[in-house]
Amino acid sequence: MTAKSNTGWLKVVGLGPGDDALITPEVSTALNEATDVVGYVPYVERVSPRPGLVRHGSDNREEIRRAEQALRLAAEGQRVVVVSSGDPGVFAMAAALFEALEAGEPEWRELDIQVLPGISAMLAASARLGAPLGHDFCCINLSDNLKPWALVERRLRLAAEADFAMAFYNPRSRARPEGFVRALEVLREACGAERPIMFARAVSTPEEQLRVTTLGEAAAEMADMRTLVMVGSSQTRLIPRNTVGVPWVYTPRSVLEPVSGACSGTDAGAEP
């Protein structure tokens, strides 16, 4: 199969966390020019149907097959957009696309391929809460579908030891509810019960819920697969609001001497 790089192209894009207002103009242009949209069914359905556009939805955990389909379509001369939620380079389709490209047809390497960034759930959640990722932070996927749980736990301990603020994707699913229980145990051991933890569910959608509490008060049931979880560093601070709602949370830009009570948090519940 010969790649028609002069006519076909492939763009891997991020649709942001949920609200269409958070889709970048660059991504909107790519969607308007596309002949084919490829992705996980819920994400493909976020793209409005129109004449001349074919939507190819597939199930979860079919990332490589989905990437191969997109590469074949682009090689045939189609203008293909592969959609992810958030940012395509953060636990999403960009890495799967390049994995398929590396193992696939040599001609695919001649295709016009671009990755267009999007607003990740991590950044959207951080913005809604203030600036909990305002200093050094790390991001960990708590799913052990593609890596052993022992590695997840080791990374949790090392991140806590390095005193990073932490953001966690895929904390808890019906198929593996026990993982987040263990993650909370590890974090309590490493960080202490008073360290603030934040739960941001379905940010930027009508189902959005925000909760700020402490590791000591946190329960695994507070998270699901639509929840982005963040844990502060030893420097992270809370500022109560004068009105109803969760407190502002921020991590100072410079590392300060530990301040008594700086990491204590109050469970403000879910925002109405």
Side-chain angles (χ1 to χ4, degrees):
M1 181 182 298
T2 301
K4 301 178 182 178
S5 57
N6 61 325
T7 56
W9 48 252
L10 193 158
K11 298 181 181 182
V12 192
V13 312
L15 298 177
D19 189 336
D20 286 349
L22 298 181
I23 298 176
T24 69
E26 182 182 42
V27 169
S28 295
T29 297
L31 292 171
N32 289 335
E33 294 175 350
T35 59
D36 297 79
V37 171
V38 177
Y40 179 39
V41 170
Y43 307 150
V44 169
E45 290 178 348
R46 288 181 58 186
V47 180
S48 299
R50 59 171 169 79
L53 178 68
V54 180
R55 300 188 300 174
H56 308 266
S58 54
D59 291 336
N60 199 12
R61 301 193 187 185
E62 293 189 6
E63 290 88 351
I64 298 302
R65 186 181 304 175
R66 186 181 304 144
E68 291 171 342
Q69 178 187 26
L71 287 161
R72 284 193 295 269
L73 288 167
E76 293 167 1
Q78 304 299 101
R79 301 186 298 274
V80 184
V81 171
V82 177
V83 291
S84 294
S85 67
D87 180 275
V90 180
F91 307 128
M93 279 302 299
L97 187 284
F98 289 114
E99 185 176 345
L101 179 68
E102 183 178 27
E105 300 290 338
E107 294 84 359
W108 289 351
R109 302 189 183 196
E110 304 304 316
L111 289 167
D112 177 5
I113 297 174
Q114 298 179 52
V115 179
L116 307 185
I119 297 174
S120 70
M122 171 180 63
L123 298 182
S126 180
R128 287 290 285 120
L129 289 161
L133 306 181
H135 192 58
D136 296 341
F137 70 91
C138 69
C139 181
I140 301 174
N141 187 341
L142 294 184
S143 171
D144 60 352
N145 286 332
L146 299 176
K147 60 180 180 287
W149 176 256
L151 179 59
V152 176
E153 190 166 321
R154 180 169 181 264
R155 288 175 174 172
L156 285 172
R157 292 187 183 278
L158 290 173
E161 180 181 343
D163 199 23
F164 285 112
M166 294 170 265
F168 302 125
Y169 279 73
N170 301 322
R172 183 172 179 267
S173 70
R174 285 175 292 182
R176 45 178 185 79
E178 70 289 339
F180 192 51
V181 173
R182 179 56 185 157
L184 289 175
E185 292 173 352
V186 170
L187 291 167
R188 289 188 193 105
E189 293 169 4
C191 301
E194 296 305 310
R195 188 67 60 87
I197 182 170
M198 296 137 273
F199 297 85
R201 185 179 188 276
V203 171
S204 84
T205 76
E207 294 78 38
E208 176 178 301
Q209 292 181 325
L210 303 176
R211 182 187 292 268
V212 178
T213 185
T214 64
L215 283 172
E217 296 295 326
E221 294 74 21
M222 293 178 181
D224 62 13
M225 288 295 284
R226 297 188 69 192
T227 306
L228 191 287
V229 180
M230 289 179 285
V231 171
S233 74
S234 67
Q235 304 293 306
T236 300
R237 301 178 65 87
L238 274 59
I239 305 175
R241 302 196 198 195
N242 294 327
T243 57
V244 175
V246 299
W248 293 112
V249 185
Y250 83 101
T251 303
R253 294 171 299 150
S254 57
V255 176
L256 308 174
E257 291 298 323
V259 178
S260 177
C263 293
S264 62
T266 300
D267 185 0
E271 196 176 59

